[in-house]
Amino acid sequence: MQNIAAGNTIVLNPAAVSLVLEVVKYVGPVVVHDWWLYQLISGAGGRIVHDNVPGLLYRQHEANQIGVNDTANARLRRFLQLLRGDFRAWNQTNIAALLSCGAVLRPDHLAMLESFARLSTLPVLKRMLLLKRLGLYRQTIGGTMTLWFAVLFRLV
C-alpha cells in the first residue's frame, strides 16, 4: 500500500537479484521502480529488513520526482493527485506488472493482490468489508484513513 523502500537505500541479496532478473524479462511497465521492487520481493516472501541507522546522506531538491511528503503543501498535492486518479493509475500499472509474474508470488500474497485488484469493481459495502478483511494499512493513521477514503470512492 505504500513505498517504504527508497531506491537509493535498497540493498538486495543474491536471491532478490535473481528474482528480479527472472521477472523483468516479461513484466511490462512499472510505476516507481523501488516501490515495485518492494512489492515484488515482499510478495514473493522475501524478508524485508529496515535499518534505522542511516547509511547515506540524502538531499531533496525541487526536481525530485516524488520527494518528501510531510509538509502541508505536499500532503495537499498528494491528496489532489488522489482525487485526480494518479494513484489509481499507478496501482493499476503495478498490479498488472505483479500479476504478470504471479507465479513467483506466495499463494496467499497473490490471493491478496487479486482481491485488492477487484476492490473497485465491488459495490460499496462489499468493497469496504473486503478492505477490512484484507487488513491493509499505511504507516500512519492519517494515511490509513486516506486509504479507506480512496477505497470508498474508488480512487485506488
Side-chain angles (χ1 to χ4, degrees):
M1 293 314 320
Q2 182 174 4
N3 184 17
I4 63 167
N8 68 325
T9 66
I10 295 174
V11 177
L12 302 178
N13 67 14
V17 171
S18 178
L19 172 67
V20 172
L21 292 175
E22 176 186 340
V23 301
V24 295
K25 300 171 192 168
Y26 53 85
V27 168
V30 299
V31 176
V32 188
H33 67 280
D34 47 354
W35 180 32
W36 187 79
L37 284 172
Y38 168 71
Q39 292 171 320
L40 171 68
I41 293 166
S42 62
R47 186 168 157 239
I48 307 297
V49 177
H50 182 268
D51 186 351
N52 286 326
V53 179
L56 57 90
L57 297 176
Y58 184 68
R59 68 176 175 84
Q60 292 287 306
H61 52 82
E62 291 181 16
N64 275 47
Q65 183 180 9
I66 295 177
V68 173
N69 60 3
D70 60 358
T71 66
N73 282 341
R75 284 190 197 107
L76 175 61
R77 186 177 64 250
R78 289 178 69 82
F79 189 72
L80 293 174
Q81 284 181 289
L82 174 69
L83 295 177
R84 197 171 53 223
D86 294 356
F87 294 117
R88 182 177 185 174
W90 291 1
N91 277 329
Q92 289 173 340
T93 299
N94 280 3
I95 287 168
L98 288 166
L99 288 174
S100 74
C101 58
V104 303
L105 302 179
R106 282 183 22 179
D108 56 328
H109 291 173
L110 178 59
M112 181 180 280
L113 174 65
E114 291 169 340
S115 292
F116 179 75
R118 73 171 195 273
L119 264 180
S120 66
T121 67
L122 299 173
V124 66
L125 184 57
K126 287 185 178 184
R127 200 165 51 242
M128 303 315 285
L129 289 172
L130 179 57
L131 178 61
K132 180 173 176 36
R133 185 176 63 79
L134 290 173
L136 301 175
Y137 63 93
R138 292 180 56 92
Q139 299 301 307
T140 64
I141 292 170
T144 299
M145 289 173 47
T146 302
L147 169 63
W148 279 80
F149 172 86
V151 170
L152 178 65
F153 292 102
R154 290 189 168 123
L155 298 171
V156 293

